[in-house]
Amino acid sequence: MGFALKNQVFLLCVMVLLLAVLCYSQDTFTHSRATYYGSPDCYGTASGACGFREFGRTVNDGNVAGVSKLFRNGTGCGTCYQVRCTTPEVCADEGVNIVVTDHGEGDRTDFILSPRAYSKLARPNDVSKLFSYGVVEIEYRRISCKYSGYNLMFKVHENSKYPHYLSIVLLYVAGQNDITAVELWHDNWQQWRAMRRAYGAVWDMVNMPRGSVKLRFQVSCNYGTTWVQSKNVLPSNWKAGVAYDSLIQLY
C-alpha cells in the first residue's frame, strides 16, 4: 500500500515537471511571411497598439515586431518569438529573437519587424539584398522571454488620473506566459476586483479609492492557468508614468 502511494506521488511529480517544461519548449516552427516598417533610427515605435510607449521602442535592443493574428486582442503583447527567413542564399541560420510590441497587418504576413530585427534575418553581407525583397518567407516559434536583472514591473500609464482613474501596463513578463487577467485588492473592498483590459497590455479601473492596493495576475501557459500575487503593493501616492517593481518574475 505504501509502495503504491509512493509510486503515485512519484508519477505526479514527473507529470508536474513535464507540464512545466512544456511552457518553455516549442520546437515546431510555423511557416509564414514577414516584412518591415519604416523607422528613422531602426528601433521600434513609441505609439504601438500594446501601449508600451518607450519600452516598446527600445526593449530587446529594438528587435521588436508588430503582429497580426498573434496579437490575440492584446494578449500577445510582450510575447517573444524566434523568427528566421528561409531563403538560403541570403538568410542567417538562427534569424532573430523578437518581442511583440504592436499590432499590424501586412501582405499575408504574421510579422512586421523593426528594421533592426529585419536586418538580422540576413547574413552579414546580404542585408541590403534582403531589404530589397520587402516581404520574405519565414518560419517562427514562440520562445521564452528573458530579462536579466528585471522583475515583472507594473507601470502606471501616463493616462492615469490620480487618485480615481488607474491604468497600468505590464513590463518584463518573462518565460512563455500570457497574463490574461489582473485583479486589485483594496482594504475598503475586502475582495479582489478585476481590472479591464483597456487595450494591448494596458489594464484600467475607474472609481479607485485612495490608499495602497495589492495586485495579482492570472498567468496562462500551455499547461494551465494560475494566479500569482505581486510581493509589492501599488503605493497610496502612486504617480502616472512611474514603474513599480512587483518583486516577482514569471518563468
Side-chain angles (χ1 to χ4, degrees):
M1 197 71 173
F3 180 75
L5 181 60
K6 287 181 181 178
N7 280 346
Q8 290 176 8
V9 171
F10 173 75
L11 288 173
L12 179 62
C13 291
V14 169
M15 289 175 65
V16 170
L17 288 172
L18 287 175
L19 289 171
V21 168
L22 287 176
C23 191
Y24 300 97
S25 303
Q26 183 180 330
D27 294 328
T28 304
F29 282 86
T30 301
H31 179 78
S32 186
R33 287 154 55 90
T35 186
Y36 64 94
Y37 57 82
S39 170
D41 59 5
C42 296
Y43 281 84
T45 173
S47 58
C50 288
F52 287 140
R53 296 206 172 187
E54 186 64 17
F55 175 86
R57 198 180 77 82
T58 58
V59 66
N60 197 37
D61 197 27
N63 295 310
V64 297
V67 293
S68 52
K69 66 184 181 184
L70 298 174
F71 188 72
R72 295 179 288 138
N73 295 318
T75 303
C77 287
T79 54
C80 296
Y81 293 90
Q82 179 187 3
V83 181
R84 60 190 189 192
C85 62
T86 56
T87 305
E89 58 269 24
V90 296
C91 295
D93 291 339
E94 294 301 314
V96 62
N97 295 341
I98 62 93
V99 179
V100 172
T101 58
D102 202 356
H103 176 266
E105 300 283 347
D107 178 14
R108 294 178 291 117
T109 60
D110 277 321
F111 292 88
I112 305 178
L113 301 166
S114 68
R116 289 176 73 88
Y118 192 82
S119 67
K120 291 180 180 177
L121 294 176
R123 297 184 306 197
N125 295 328
D126 294 311
V127 173
S128 60
K129 186 174 181 179
L130 185 72
F131 271 94
S132 71
Y133 290 172
V135 177
V136 291
E137 301 292 317
I138 61 141
E139 55 186 15
Y140 69 89
R141 64 176 178 178
R142 187 164 178 183
I143 60 173
S144 293
C145 295
K146 298 177 181 178
Y147 299 109
S148 179
Y150 288 95
N151 293 320
L152 171 66
M153 308 284 286
F154 44 92
K155 178 186 176 183
V156 179
H157 197 275
E158 286 79 359
N159 291 341
S160 298
K161 303 295 182 185
Y162 181 85
H164 301 303
Y165 174 67
L166 173 65
S167 176
I168 65 170
V169 58
L170 304 179
L171 311 177
Y172 302 112
V173 180
Q176 291 189 34
N177 301 289
D178 295 332
I179 293 183
T180 52
V182 180
E183 292 185 344
L184 302 180
W185 174 283
H186 191 281
D187 287 342
N188 288 359
W189 303 330
Q190 288 300 301
Q191 64 178 344
W192 290 101
R193 290 190 180 181
M195 300 190 81
R196 177 184 71 112
R197 186 190 290 275
Y199 65 93
V202 180
W203 302 79
D204 70 356
M205 181 178 285
V206 297
N207 300 321
M208 287 288 300
R210 294 179 183 271
S212 63
V213 292
K214 300 175 185 176
L215 295 90
R216 70 175 184 177
F217 315 101
Q218 186 180 62
V219 182
S220 176
C221 192
N222 48 9
Y223 65 83
T225 300
T226 188
W227 285 95
V228 179
Q229 185 173 331
S230 170
K231 292 182 179 179
N232 199 8
V233 299
L234 184 69
S236 58
N237 60 340
W238 55 262
K239 299 186 186 325
V242 176
Y244 298 90
D245 193 337
S246 71
L247 301 180
I248 63 170
Q249 187 51 277
L250 311 174
Y251 293 106

